[in-house]
Amino acid sequence: MITRRTTLQAALASAALASISPVLAAERLNQRVLLASRPKGMPTLENFRFDSVPVPGIGDGQVLLKTLYLSLDPYMRGRMNAGKSYADRWELGAAMGGGTVSRVEESNNPAYQAGDLVMSFSGWQSYEVSGGQGLTKLDPRITRPSYALGVLGMPGLTAYVGLLDIGQPKPGETVVLAAATGAVGSVVGQIAKLKGCRVVGIAGAQEKLDYAVDELGYDACISHRDPDMSTKLAAACPDGIDVYFENVGGSSWEAVMPLLNTFARIPVCGLIAHYNQTSLPEGPDRMSMLQSMILSRRIKMQGFIISDHTDRVGDFTRDMSTWLMQGKVKYREHMVDGLENAPEAFLGLFSGTNFGKLVVNVGS
Ligand code: NDP
């Protein structure tokens, strides 16, 4: 899906371009999206600023990268905060970070030639000068390079490790997953089906529920916007829940909790419903109830961060490439056209406007 430029985004982009002097406009320019301010709660477009700076020349050992595709991911919200989480914050006034598929335009580094496609962390900008560290050449067998940011990249690996290594699903078991049609969730659900499980998704809009059942092959998919979500989830899981792949938290977790079976496993992958919270929600402290449930039902709940699991890349790449080639895993991208539309697209991750892996087509 290609989204059209909105009036607001186009206005912001042309305002940024208008501020550039005629002299600079004649040069090759690096368009950037900078972190202008730290969000309080839900981010807004005012937290981002556009600018353009001349593309510098490259020195010995360096390469000039042109960004083709930029991955937009929920973890970026945490990097916009001042405090440290499991990784460092991003600095104010600097380009937002992010995984990219980039093309080598010029090279003074013998390991790279002009035209090579690489995985990089060039961030929200159209060019980057790199010393070559941290770059990975794209496997030429990947016919769709943007997949290296999704099903064959970080989100795909997250689904694979979280479900298989932590969730450990067995044939006949019931697997429930939240954000069920997204970059990670859609892969989790399809792998669980391949392992012979009953798969029940939780997602937002009706078109996502239909897609989960009709295209991804889930047994059922329930909307977290449905006031009867708990009742419908219970009906869709007549034998309880053995694995809950947590991507969201909030009301999805509330509905899942009572249905968890003895020896259930919960890979805690993400909590997107809470990323914009500024304080704990009001209400009674139910921590002791949760601990009692974990104890009495012998539940295993394990958080994981995918960068700790690079040892699984080889197995993942082999299995996922095979499943894709055989048509056993389908993948949907939500492709947004133009870097100037990245902020608005990013905000949409928190209201579910993305339908599939969110990627920005930065340029060709
Ligand atoms: P998705 O492609 O699934 O996009 C995010 C989706 O989350 C939205 O489309 C929306 O889907 C859902 N969502 C957003 N806000 C809410 C809410 N308040 N309540 C319910 N659903 C909501 O993103 P990813 O697949 O990239 O990421 C999914 C999760 O995995 C995130 O929590 C992310 O942080 C985590 N993650 C963790 C990693 C790790 O190493 N632990 C690595 C990669 C991702 P819908 O319309 O269906 O509601």
Side-chain angles (χ1 to χ4, degrees), residues 124-185:
W124 298 32
Q125 55 183 347
S126 52
Y127 288 94
E128 190 201 15
V129 172
S130 161
Q133 305 88 347
L135 302 182
T136 313
K137 277 193 198 173
L138 232 63
D139 185 332
R141 286 170 299 178
I142 300 183
T143 50
R144 201 165 168 150
S146 55
Y147 272 18
L149 301 171
V151 65
L152 290 169
M154 184 277 281
L157 180 65
T158 302
Y160 184 89
V161 168
L163 181 68
L164 296 180
D165 297 358
I166 300 174
Q168 301 187 0
K170 297 170 194 62
E173 287 190 330
T174 298
V175 174
V176 172
L177 59 143
T181 63
V184 174

Side-chain angles (χ1 to χ4, degrees), residues 72-76 86 154-155 158-159 178-186 202-205 208-209 224-225 245-252 268-276 303-309 331 348-358:
L72 295 183
D73 301 279
Y75 77 83
M76 294 170 166
Y86 59 88
M154 184 277 281
T158 302
T181 63
V184 174
S186 62
I202 302 174
K208 294 187 178 181
L209 309 185
H224 58 77
R225 296 177 189 158
F245 194 100
E246 178 63 287
N247 274 331
V248 168
S251 61
S252 303
V268 182
C269 174
L271 296 168
I272 195 168
H274 303 293
Y275 291 172
N276 295 312
F304 72 102
I305 299 296
I306 199 54
S307 49
D308 295 332
H309 299 271
Y331 205 62
L349 283 170
F350 304 99
S351 53
T353 57
N354 67 304
F355 190 176
K357 170 66 193 126
L358 187 54

Side-chain angles (χ1 to χ4, degrees), residues 98-343:
T100 60
V101 170
S102 304
R103 187 176 58 227
V104 176
E105 294 288 276
E106 296 164 15
S107 177
N108 284 339
N109 183 322
Y112 300 96
Q113 293 184 341
D116 283 347
L117 292 190
V118 293
M119 285 288 302
S120 174
F121 201 80
S122 295
W124 298 32
Q125 55 183 347
S126 52
Y127 288 94
E128 190 201 15
V129 172
S130 161
Q133 305 88 347
L135 302 182
T136 313
K137 277 193 198 173
L138 232 63
D139 185 332
R141 286 170 299 178
I142 300 183
T143 50
R144 201 165 168 150
S146 55
Y147 272 18
L149 301 171
V151 65
L152 290 169
M154 184 277 281
L157 180 65
T158 302
Y160 184 89
V161 168
L163 181 68
L164 296 180
D165 297 358
I166 300 174
Q168 301 187 0
K170 297 170 194 62
E173 287 190 330
T174 298
V175 174
V176 172
L177 59 143
T181 63
V184 174
S186 62
V187 180
V188 171
Q190 290 179 91
I191 299 177
K193 281 309 299 178
L194 287 171
K195 297 295 168 189
C197 300
R198 176 174 178 78
V199 174
V200 178
I202 302 174
Q206 184 62 46
E207 59 175 344
K208 294 187 178 181
L209 309 185
D210 294 342
Y211 173 75
V213 174
D214 298 341
E215 298 292 329
L216 303 179
Y218 298 178
D219 297 280
C221 195
I222 314 293
S223 176
H224 58 77
R225 296 177 189 158
D226 190 328
D228 291 330
M229 169 170 64
S230 299
T231 314
K232 288 185 179 168
L233 187 65
C237 303
D239 299 324
I241 298 172
D242 301 294
V243 178
Y244 174 53
F245 194 100
E246 178 63 287
N247 274 331
V248 168
S251 61
S252 303
W253 168 237
E254 299 270 344
V256 161
M257 237 187 324
L259 304 175
L260 290 166
N261 288 334
T262 305
F263 296 116
R265 287 85 65 200
I266 306 173
V268 182
C269 174
L271 296 168
I272 195 168
H274 303 293
Y275 291 172
N276 295 312
Q277 275 177 356
T278 51
S279 60
L280 288 173
E282 303 245 323
D285 179 356
R286 293 186 297 161
M287 189 64 84
S288 59
M289 186 200 77
L290 175 64
Q291 287 187 310
S292 301
M293 186 193 71
I294 288 174
L295 174 62
S296 59
R297 292 190 222 163
R298 286 86 98 198
I299 287 169
K300 178 180 159 191
M301 196 173 190
Q302 184 182 330
F304 72 102
I305 299 296
I306 199 54
S307 49
D308 295 332
H309 299 271
T310 47
D311 57 315
R312 294 287 274 147
V313 167
D315 294 333
F316 158 71
T317 306
R318 180 201 60 226
D319 289 346
M320 192 55 69
S321 312
T322 309
W323 290 331
L324 276 173
M325 238 161 10
Q326 295 173 340
K328 291 181 175 165
V329 167
K330 296 181 184 169
Y331 205 62
R332 181 178 175 123
E333 291 180 310
H334 184 124
M335 190 69 77
V336 171
D337 201 14
L339 191 59
E340 67 277 20
N341 289 316

